[in-house]
Amino acid sequence: MATAVRDEVRRRLAEGQNEPARVLEVGAGTAATTRLVLAELRQFGPSVEYTVTDVAQSFVERARHDLSGGPVPMRFAQFDVEQPPEPPDTGRYDVVVAANVLHATRSISAALAGLRGTLRPGGCLVVNELTADDPFVTLTFGLTRGWWQFTDPQHRLPGSPLLDIARWRRLAAMHGFGDLTVVDPGPGGDEAQRQAVLVLPAAAAPASGRTPPGDLRAALRRHVRAVVTDFLRVPVEAIGDDDTFAAKGVDSLGSIALVRSLEAGFGPLPKTILFEYPTPRALADHLLDRDSDRCQALVGGAPAVITVPRSPMPRLEQPAEGDAVAIVGIAGSFPGSPDVETFWQHLAAGRCLVTEVPAERFDWRAVDGDPRREPHTTNSHWGGFLPSVDRFDAEFFGISPVEAALMDPQQRLFLQAAWHAIEDAGHAPARLRGSRTGVFVGVSGFDYHELLTTADRHEDAHAPSGVSHAVLANRLSYLLDLRGPSEPVDTACSSALVAVHRAVRAMAAGDCDGAVVGGANLLLTRELFVAFGQAGFLSPDGRCFAFDDRANGYVRAEGVAAMFLRPLSRAVADGDPVYGVIRASATNHGGRTQSLTVPNPHAQTALVVDAYRRAGVDPRTVSYIETHGTGTALGDPIEVEALKRAFTELGAGPADQPWCGLGSVKSNVGHLEAAAGMAGLFKVLLSLRHDLLPATVELHRTNPMVELAGSPFTLVDRPRAWTVQDGQPRRAGVSSFGFGGANAHVLVEEHRMDPVPVPDQEVVLPLSARTPGQLHDLATRLAAFLAAETGAAPAEVAWTLQAGRDPMAHRAAVVGRTVADLVAGLRQFLDGDPSPRVWSGLPGTESAGDTATAPPETGDPADWARRWVAGDDTLPWARLYPTPPRRCHLPGYPFAADRHWVSARETQGEAATAPFAAGAEAGGPEPDWLAVLTELGHGDRSVDEVEQMWAMSEVAP
């Protein structure tokens, strides 16, 4: 390289110019190349002026200290190669030297354009770079963040920041350089070089006398400002390069009209482009990068391409399979769907589950109106609602009726969903006691607090914990004695997916060994219906028209759901059923945009890129994305543009045939707000289980601003089988975006389990519940499940009940070899028919029989069944099998549906709801213990309250 620079300087001096030959070195770093070049230039003495630069001032000062005072006059300065040159550097230099530095830029186009602007006519750029991918180099430098900071993979070698010679030649021509020369190419020719010195001469200026690249960029900004000010009917001086269009009065509808004005000069543009590039500077730079020839023809100037650098996205190591996170259990309630299976049936049938606001929530007619003209009104009286949100099995969880009535139903329903999710994984909740299991819950709404205030119950003793979001997570940790992190998450609409992200990161960091993750959102009052209506967020049609040209806002909806997560290696070892594997997750924020609630497409792009790079996943293997897709006219196109850009940045750009479907569950159920991520994630998991992608309903005519032509994406507007080619596992992304700018994306992959032999033997189905009625309900559900031909093997069903359920008081056991045997035995129990294969009773009663003190010595299932019903909770069930079978998904516990709801305080009951009765204070008279125990029996006091009164009492009752 040093001799190439020497030869170019000699050529320049031979032209007889009257001033020294000026050399600029960029990215000098430790000055190793500088010393070699200066050794070759010593012969020219003061006929050469050498400028040493680097982006780091510390390197510049080190060079000044080490290199000053030699025969060649020296200059030292800080210089960022990705920024356009400023006077006096513009058009100043004869030779620019760049040794192993340009590959480390975010945008190679920006760097070349800027360096072209520093050269005099006839000058040249001398580059020394690796020009072939080298595994050793990648392993070495790939551990540094800078190696992966590039944002233009379309110009680089696949999976690398490097460029081969063909790419250098193509980019040189694009940015105003002449024919590239390879110095000493060797016997293999140009293309065989792994490390090459390249000479890029500056092309002669066009005869038209066009301006340098820096002036072209400035001219383009002036042109953009002129179009905008003409559109707004204001003087051109009224808008600066860095003023946002929104700040100057361009709203959502105005932005579409303004884009049409810009299209007169720039051709077809995405209608969301002003949200992506919100200032004249950002827009002009993007347009220049997009089509430099058109910009050149429009405003004149030499070819140049400048891009706006984005935040670097580091590539991280792909996690080992043992470190991946498995989703092993799920449970929840969704609009019109009391359980997950009903939810799937609705999705598969393409149903919309939005209804009018139920009368028991509030009278929507009292606030019905036109929010654009009338305050305190809303134009939406629709929503997706859960059945029976007032029902809860308080006794099951040891909570008194008075406390249950003061608990936000989001807390109550989440407790039940979490219990069911653990059971769905084939694990007994009681066996998690003392474990490092975390709890992460997305929750945002406080509607129940408003109801407590209206009923004058907000100052009651249980009210603060009853409506606390912290307690929503903490209560589960308390009741199950879980010792991992316990955190609520409120990032608005992205809360549930952010909770998933936090759980995954906590497990990776070793903060917990597993996690219960979920989301909860209930719509109990009219307050936010009115506020969101006034803000223009809601659809007056009561539909989320995702990706449809009728998109006009979203529909509010409810949901409470939970998942049980375990490390994949442990889940596989324990034979857990796996719905899917979380390969990666990512979160970020949109930063400053046109307004607080306007999404940032660049942030959405970076989010997806970050997640897929973390996973080490090729986007060509991702065949579905469950989008945020709320059904807003601009939000949906912005999301699609961000996905297109993300796939392009990841190396899966324009496509002849789309391979990745886009859908939105919000078209079925509405927008679950804080719990929205659970609805989308559950849809993906159930689609993997059933090999079917349900249709996005209400999608008849695509929003014209959703531009899919030539992209990897297609809208799933009808049900389709979910298949992939080449034996790849099916993969899907799920996105959620908070209306305050917090974004989350989760990448899920199917888990293919190797077949294992299932023992063909007689098995014991042990059942138990707290009450005889619940035991009857449990047997009814299990019989229906087995009769539905779900494919579950008898041994797997039996092992799941033996190892994955907590023993309770009322018991039954059924022995059989086949599914038909077990269904028949369950029905005999339900009908009360005597059978030698069925046992039932309450331990300690005559019907249950005696509990044996020694473990069973035989494998006779009847003996084990009798012992179970008699109350033996220590049976070593694993001894019944050569190897314990896998666990399977089975119906969960049938919770009692008792009503618990806040009501206005009654005068007679005021003392009963106070934390302490008269005389309970320390040092005061003793309470009336008979009255206290009566209140406890009636549910007017909780056990905790009575225990505290007892502790303060000087005389035990």
Side-chain angles (χ1 to χ4, degrees), residues 196-566:
V197 175
L198 313 174
V199 177
L200 287 67
S208 60
R210 295 175 186 171
T211 54
D215 290 340
L216 172 61
R217 186 175 56 256
L220 193 61
R221 292 174 186 167
R222 286 194 297 270
H223 176 80
V224 169
R225 293 203 313 271
V227 174
V228 175
T229 53
D230 180 66
F231 174 80
L232 295 174
R233 302 289 196 270
V234 296
V236 70
E237 296 80 11
I239 295 182
D241 284 344
D242 297 308
D243 290 336
T244 65
F245 302 124
K248 295 303 178 179
V250 181
D251 58 13
S252 297
L253 294 177
S255 68
I256 297 174
L258 178 53
V259 169
R260 292 195 179 104
S261 297
L262 290 164
E263 287 176 332
F266 296 101
L269 299 172
K271 300 302 182 291
T272 60
I273 194 170
L274 300 188
F275 293 92
E276 303 172 53
Y277 306 97
T279 67
R281 182 190 302 275
L283 180 60
D285 288 351
H286 167 71
L287 293 171
L288 193 56
D289 185 43
R290 177 178 178 268
D291 192 340
S292 59
D293 290 340
R294 184 183 288 271
C295 294
Q296 175 183 314
L298 188 64
V299 299
V305 177
I306 303 294
T307 60
V308 180
R310 297 200 200 110
S311 300
M313 284 294 156
R315 172 168 293 189
L316 305 183
E317 292 184 18
Q318 179 176 338
E321 181 176 72
D323 295 330
V325 174
I327 303 169
V328 295
I330 63 175
S333 300
F334 298 93
S337 309
D339 52 53
V340 170
E341 187 56 39
T342 306
F343 178 55
W344 171 253
Q345 292 170 5
H346 288 316
L347 295 184
R351 299 188 182 104
C352 178
L353 303 171
V354 172
T355 66
E356 284 191 345
V357 177
E360 63 266 20
R361 302 304 171 89
F362 60 87
D363 181 9
W364 62 264
R365 293 169 182 81
V367 291
D368 188 36
D370 184 351
R372 295 171 298 180
R373 296 178 175 83
E374 304 169 84
H376 312 298
T377 64
T378 182
N379 58 354
S380 179
H381 54 271
W382 308 92
F385 296 95
L386 300 189
S388 307
V389 298
D390 58 342
R391 306 292 165 167
F392 176 57
D393 195 343
E395 190 174 356
F396 180 90
F397 292 100
I399 298 171
S400 72
V402 67
E403 183 174 8
L406 296 173
M407 286 172 59
D408 189 330
Q410 294 178 138
Q411 284 194 25
R412 306 192 302 237
L413 297 181
F414 181 73
L415 285 179
Q416 296 183 164
W419 185 280
H420 278 160
I422 297 169
E423 285 192 331
D424 186 55
H427 286 262
R431 298 187 185 182
L432 296 179
R433 289 173 184 159
S435 68
R436 298 171 69 251
T437 300
V439 179
F440 303 84
V441 193
V443 60
S444 186
F446 278 104
D447 285 15
Y448 203 64
H449 182 264
E450 185 180 345
L451 295 181
L452 294 181
T453 302
T454 301
D456 192 26
R457 303 295 299 277
H458 59 292
E459 295 177 345
D460 283 19
H462 293 297
S465 60
V467 298
S468 166
H469 287 169
V471 174
L472 189 147
N474 300 164
R475 194 186 295 272
L476 179 66
S477 300
Y478 161 73
L479 290 173
L480 299 188
D481 191 19
L482 308 178
R483 308 296 176 84
S486 186
E487 304 173 5
V489 176
D490 182 3
T491 56
C493 316
S494 58
S495 299
L497 278 198
V498 173
V500 173
H501 174 75
R502 290 191 184 176
V504 170
R505 288 301 183 88
M507 291 172 66
D511 296 335
C512 55
D513 300 326
V516 176
V517 186
N521 192 59
L522 295 180
L523 315 176
L524 307 177
T525 67
R526 71 188 194 185
E527 182 182 70
L528 288 182
F529 278 87
V530 173
F532 289 163
Q534 292 284 318
F537 292 168
L538 304 182
S539 167
D541 299 314
R543 295 290 184 272
C544 285
F545 293 118
F547 309 113
D548 193 88
D549 69 349
R550 295 169 292 169
N552 59 0
Y554 82 87
V555 180
R556 303 190 72 205
E558 299 179 330
V560 179
M563 306 188 307
F564 186 35
L565 309 182
R566 301 190 74 209

Side-chain angles (χ1 to χ4, degrees), residues 70-122:
V72 175
M74 305 289 294
R75 296 174 66 243
F76 304 90
Q78 193 172 12
F79 185 92
D80 185 350
V81 70
E82 293 193 75
Q83 298 299 320
E86 301 288 345
D89 292 321
T90 304
R92 173 183 176 87
Y93 297 99
D94 300 294
V95 181
V96 174
V97 179
N100 298 306
V101 64
L102 297 185
H103 72 269
T105 57
R106 294 181 178 88
S107 168
I108 195 72
S109 290
L112 288 175
L115 295 180
R116 174 64 180 84
T118 65
L119 290 171
R120 289 177 175 175

